[in-house]
Amino acid sequence: MKITFFIGHMGYGGAERVISLLANDYCRRGWDTQIVMLLSNDLAQKLEPGVKLVDLSLGGGSYLKRAPRWLMEIRKLLKREKPDCVVSFIGRINALVLTAALGLKLPVIVSERNDPRHDGRGKWMLAYCDTLYKTARAVVFQTKAEEECFSDTVKAKGVIIPNPVSVEGAVRRESEGFRVVTAGRLAEQKNHKMLMDAMERVTREIPEARCTIYGEGELRSELEDYVREKGLEGTVFLPGHALDIHEKIADASVFVLTSEYEGLPNALIEAMMLGIPCVTTDYPGAEEVMRDGVTGLIVPRGDGNALARKLILLARDRETGSTLGRNAQRDAEEYRTENVIRMWRKVIEE
């Protein structure tokens, strides 16, 4: 059996991690497995030696300029390889793969990995995706909120599969002070400035509070300037990527997600699985991950003052935080890697 995955690259990120887990699983089971990368040949995921990588980034350039060649090269590859199953991740890439596969009678499964209303594809591309998704064998969504962006015909092909999460090797530890952490791309979507605004207020009442933002991205310089502007040097730190992220955050007092929108945030679920008390913004779909006041706390998007109040509450009432962490850890069991891979196998192999 042969399976071909399509994605932008294999760098850091939740979608890339899911592809690596699935590809490794099928490779170990004896399938001919390949991953086709369309945007760059970045590789930060650990892959089995038998997983083949195909670089179709075509030397870079704008999406529109590369689109005609992508369509030609993808179609050529599909005709040559004749995979038993094609799995594509992320909206625009899904559109390219489905367009290139028209008429080839190959089973194509596509997966949405973010909130389609806010990921920048625009109304025209969203409508085009909706039309093309009707030709897919199945459409995998991470949340009901994502699924609701599409027509009833597409919903009929829809399957909800959460991200697989694993935190093996990391053990929850209590921090001596009050340590706030987050992890994610340094990008507008993540709204790290909201966390910095909250920390400015938190440190007025809890001077020993510290915040670490793990991740890298295009806003690094802007965020470093914001730290200085807010006078948060020595309080807020941006150390970049951490390969041992679970170990790095295991002693956190609180994990915070300040996103404007999300698909299904791996970093938040991993923190919940570790038993860390968590606070998240009310992005569409947040309530599918976290039960406010039971497995974590939810605050309005963009409201740094509301976030500060919740952080101060957790700093002063460690028992409440411990209860939230324990409850979150129980709920997060459904995201265990082995459970989610079983769900993917069912969709792929049926």
Side-chain angles (χ1 to χ4, degrees):
M1 298 291 283
K2 183 181 289 188
I3 187 167
T4 299
F5 295 93
F6 284 87
I7 194 167
H9 54 76
M10 287 300 290
Y12 296 98
E16 292 79 9
R17 183 171 177 278
V18 175
I19 289 272
S20 70
L21 289 169
L22 291 173
N24 287 339
D25 179 64
Y26 277 97
C27 182
R28 286 191 290 265
R29 295 171 64 206
W31 286 44
D32 186 339
T33 307
Q34 65 178 346
I35 300 172
V36 182
M37 301 175 290
L38 298 184
L39 298 179
S40 77
N41 61 3
D42 292 348
L43 177 61
Q45 304 293 328
K46 293 180 180 178
L47 297 173
E48 292 286 332
V51 176
K52 302 167 190 170
L53 294 173
V54 179
D55 180 7
L56 281 187
S57 59
L58 307 179
S62 74
Y63 184 94
L64 285 176
K65 286 182 179 178
R66 283 184 284 178
R69 283 189 62 202
W70 267 330
L71 291 172
M72 181 179 66
E73 293 297 330
I74 292 169
R75 190 171 181 86
K76 190 189 303 182
L77 181 146
L78 292 175
K79 281 183 172 181
R80 180 179 69 248
E81 298 292 334
K82 296 182 177 63
D84 296 286
C85 185
V86 177
V87 181
S88 175
F89 273 37
I90 303 174
R92 293 179 183 83
I93 292 171
N94 296 342
L96 282 169
V97 173
L98 285 170
T99 302
L102 287 172
L104 297 183
K105 297 181 179 179
L106 293 172
V108 181
I109 297 167
V110 296
S111 180
E112 284 287 333
R113 312 305 300 178
N114 216 327
D115 184 339
R117 293 160 294 196
H118 299 95
D119 67 358
R121 77 184 76 177
K123 291 183 179 179
W124 183 88
M125 180 56 78
L126 182 56
Y128 186 59
C129 287
D130 189 83
T131 300
L132 282 173
Y133 284 8
K134 295 168 187 174
T135 70
R137 183 64 59 89
V139 183
V140 175
F141 300 100
Q142 299 173 103
T143 65
K144 290 293 291 182
E146 289 177 4
E147 188 180 54
E148 287 302 317
C149 297
F150 293 89
S151 64
D152 289 343
T153 306
V154 173
K155 289 178 189 174
K157 294 174 177 279
V159 182
I160 307 293
I161 301 181
N163 282 350
V165 173
S166 174
V167 292
E168 277 91 15
V171 179
R172 175 80 173 120
R173 306 186 305 274
E174 292 298 326
S175 58
E176 292 183 6
F178 184 66
R179 183 170 181 247
V180 179
V181 301
T182 190
R185 286 180 303 110
L186 305 183
E188 292 287 347
Q189 173 189 352
K190 304 299 183 179
N191 195 8
H192 291 117
K193 288 183 180 179
M194 174 184 168
L195 176 53
M196 293 179 188
D197 291 341
M199 288 304 299
E200 181 185 26
R201 178 174 171 183
V202 168
T203 52
R204 291 180 204 154
E205 300 194 34
I206 307 167
E208 70 275 14
R210 297 292 181 267
C211 175
T212 307
I213 300 171
Y214 293 100
E216 200 52 80
E218 62 271 19
L219 293 188
R220 167 166 285 281
S221 294
E222 184 177 326
L223 291 174
E224 287 174 339
D225 289 343
Y226 202 68
V227 169
R228 287 189 287 271
E229 179 186 328
K230 290 285 183 179
L232 292 171
E233 304 99 319
T235 296
V236 174
F237 305 92
L238 294 93
H241 285 305
L243 292 176
D244 56 344
I245 185 64
H246 302 140
E247 185 64 27
K248 284 280 197 294
I249 69 171
D251 67 342
S253 308
V254 186
F255 181 94
V256 175
L257 187 76
T258 49
S259 296
E260 292 295 307
Y261 61 92
E262 283 287 346
L264 192 66
N266 273 16
L268 176 64
I269 296 167
E270 288 163 1
M272 293 171 66
M273 191 169 281
L274 280 167
I276 301 170
C278 295
V279 183
T280 182
T281 46
D282 60 349
Y283 65 87
E287 72 285 351
E288 296 180 52
V289 178
M290 183 178 288
R291 293 180 287 153
D292 188 26
V294 179
T295 60
L297 301 174
I298 299 177
V299 298
R301 279 165 283 173
D303 192 340
N305 286 330
L307 175 57
R309 287 193 294 271
K310 297 299 184 184
L311 293 177
I312 292 167
L313 167 69
L314 292 173
R316 291 175 172 168
D317 185 356
R318 297 301 179 98
E319 186 54 41
T320 291
S322 296
T323 301
L324 294 174
R326 286 193 299 270
N327 292 342
Q329 203 165 30
R330 284 195 293 269
D331 272 19
E333 283 298 309
E334 68 174 292
Y335 300 103
R336 291 247 170 232
T337 298
E338 55 271 23
N339 296 335
V340 176
I341 284 181
R342 272 197 297 270
M343 297 168 76
W344 269 103
R345 283 180 184 171
K346 184 176 181 183
V347 174
I348 289 170
E349 294 169 27
E350 285 183 357

